[in-house]
Amino acid sequence: MQARLRITVLLTSFLMVLGTGLRCIPVSDLMLKRRLIHGGQLLNGLAGPTVMNAAPFLSTTWFSADERATATAIASMLSYLGGACAFLVGPLLVPAPNGTSPLLASENSRAHIKDRIETVLYAEFGVVCLLFSATLAYFPPRPPLPPSVAAASQRLSYRHSFCRLLSNLRFLMIALAYAIPLGVFAGWSGVLDLILTPVHVSQVDAGWIGFWSIVGGCVVGIAMARFADFIRGMLKLILLLLFSGATLSSTWFTLTCLNSITHLPLTTVTLYASCILLGVFLNSSIPIFFELFVETVYPVPEGITCGVVTFLSNMFMGVLLFFLTFYHTELSWFNWCLPGSCLLSLLLILCFRESYDRLYLDVVVSV
């Protein structure tokens, strides 16, 4: 299984090279250009789940039982740091066409915006090519010796793995607890500038809010994972605390946006605080969820387990964005989806009965 890790990473990075390269092909035909961009985004989308799901597999392959949660957090949070940078790169390099950024208003010509967008696309293509070259030059599939009993143990086949996942009600419960709020939050974050425009928040400020929410989530996520490595068997309790905070902060943000009804103070500080706290609580839960998934369904391979939950999360995000195409004039309903999904997830986690099969194998069997 570990021998396939290098091949998978190389294939994934190659798809990203193709995807970002297609978007950079200079053509004058607008329809052809649009098709190339859609094709490139499709290839990037095919590569994305593999990158997002690789963290638990990497941590099991390379790290011991008392380091796995931290390794999973660092590996999974790095991909979200790229998303944090995207919140800044877009608004800072590409002028806002909707007039929400007065500092750039004098440069808002179509040609200037087009040149800036092409600059961003070429820069992304160069970064991806660099990463692919580094992976091709050196990426060993596994360490010389297995770091734990779980790393050296056999996994179920693909067919048996999917049967095990679909028949495990506890896994389906915790998978929905992850997929629904994280999918809603991903869709909400993607249109955060549109949501904040009615309350007179510029695109640049919305980008900074998204940036700090992800960065804060990464820092807290790594800290929580390190705590989980020191005190094992506490993953459910950590998730309960995080989603309690997410429910409260999302409710605070939603009611603040309705200040004409709730009369809550609508200031830059309250918007920043509620959005950043929401991002911190939700983003920091991702590595904790990944570890709990693997522990719950072991010996199902880590990649299959996390692939299923990522698919579910993307599906809920897609459904939400599909409704957004029809109900885009007034977005208060979108805000209410956040506290509703967080509360539902909190209830599912509360009813979930946790187990640590992989940890049991490492701690008890090894002794």
Side-chain angles (χ1 to χ4, degrees):
M1 183 69 69
Q2 286 85 358
R4 302 175 186 172
L5 181 59
R6 174 179 168 82
I7 299 175
T8 302
V9 174
L10 283 173
L11 179 60
T12 300
S13 54
F14 181 67
L15 287 176
M16 294 173 63
V17 170
L18 290 179
T20 54
L22 283 177
R23 302 183 309 178
C24 297
I25 297 177
V27 292
S28 57
D29 188 348
L30 183 60
M31 184 58 66
L32 178 58
K33 181 67 174 178
R34 184 178 302 171
R35 291 176 180 175
L36 289 174
I37 292 176
H38 282 297
Q41 291 299 100
L42 176 63
L43 292 175
N44 287 335
L46 291 175
T50 303
V51 176
M52 296 172 64
N53 302 330
F57 189 22
L58 285 171
S59 64
T60 301
T61 304
W62 285 89
F63 295 91
S64 60
D66 58 350
E67 300 172 328
R68 277 199 299 249
T70 305
T72 298
I74 294 174
S76 59
M77 291 292 97
L78 283 178
S79 64
Y80 286 88
L81 281 177
C85 294
F87 274 107
L88 297 184
V89 170
L92 293 179
L93 295 185
V94 181
N98 54 7
T100 60
S101 182
L103 296 177
L104 299 171
S106 60
E107 299 179 329
N108 282 354
S109 65
R110 291 174 62 94
H112 180 72
I113 293 176
K114 179 183 176 183
D115 291 340
R116 290 296 187 93
I117 292 176
E118 289 179 349
T119 300
V120 173
L121 294 180
Y122 283 123
E124 292 176 348
F125 177 61
V127 171
V128 171
C129 288
L130 180 63
L131 293 175
F132 175 71
S133 300
T135 305
L136 188 63
Y138 181 76
F139 192 91
R142 59 184 177 274
L145 294 175
S148 63
V149 177
S153 62
Q154 293 293 322
R155 299 295 196 272
L156 297 179
S157 65
Y158 284 99
R159 184 172 63 86
H160 287 93
S161 295
F162 281 108
C163 293
R164 175 76 69 89
L165 293 179
L166 296 178
S167 61
N168 191 327
L169 294 180
R170 291 193 305 119
F171 168 75
L172 295 177
M173 179 185 298
I174 198 66
L176 290 176
Y178 167 87
I180 295 176
L182 268 299
V184 171
F185 179 69
W188 178 84
S189 300
V191 293
L192 183 59
D193 56 336
L194 298 179
I195 292 174
L196 294 178
T197 296
V199 293
H200 309 292
V201 175
S202 69
Q203 179 178 281
V204 175
D205 285 333
W208 279 111
I209 291 174
F211 174 80
W212 287 117
S213 65
I214 295 178
V215 170
C218 293
V219 174
V220 175
I222 294 173
M224 287 291 156
R226 195 61 193 149
F227 173 77
D229 275 333
F230 278 116
I231 304 177
R232 302 173 188 177
M234 303 288 288
L235 297 179
K236 177 180 176 179
L237 177 60
I238 294 174
L239 288 176
L240 285 174
L241 293 175
L242 292 176
F243 271 87
S244 297
T247 303
L248 293 175
S249 56
S250 60
T251 303
W252 179 22
F253 172 81
T254 303
L255 294 179
T256 300
C257 291
L258 297 174
N259 67 318
S260 60
I261 300 175
T262 61
H263 302 291
L264 291 175
L266 178 60
T267 64
T268 304
V269 174
T270 58
L271 288 176
Y272 263 80
S274 57
C275 286
I276 291 174
L277 284 175
L278 175 61
V280 166
F281 287 127
L282 287 181
N283 288 322
S284 61
S285 70
I286 294 171
I288 308 300
F289 265 121
F290 279 176
E291 286 294 298
L292 189 57
F293 293 146
V294 176
E295 295 286 355
T296 301
V297 299
Y298 183 85
V300 175
E302 293 84 353
I304 296 177
T305 303
C306 297
V308 170
V309 296
T310 301
F311 170 78
L312 290 175
S313 177
N314 290 337
M315 184 183 70
F316 282 109
M317 178 184 66
V319 170
L320 198 65
L321 294 179
F322 175 77
F323 280 105
L324 183 63
T325 60
F326 297 99
Y327 306 99
H328 57 274
T329 56
E330 206 279 325
L331 299 177
S332 62
W333 65 271
F334 210 155
N335 291 334
W336 281 111
C337 290
L338 278 171
S341 61
C342 291
L343 180 60
L344 175 61
S345 178
L346 184 62
L347 295 176
L348 290 173
I349 297 171
L350 190 62
C351 298
F352 175 73
R353 180 175 57 85
E354 59 186 331
S355 63
Y356 296 90
D357 299 336
R358 185 183 59 169
L359 182 62
Y360 175 85
L361 179 69
D362 284 324
V363 174
V364 177
V365 176
S366 60
V367 173

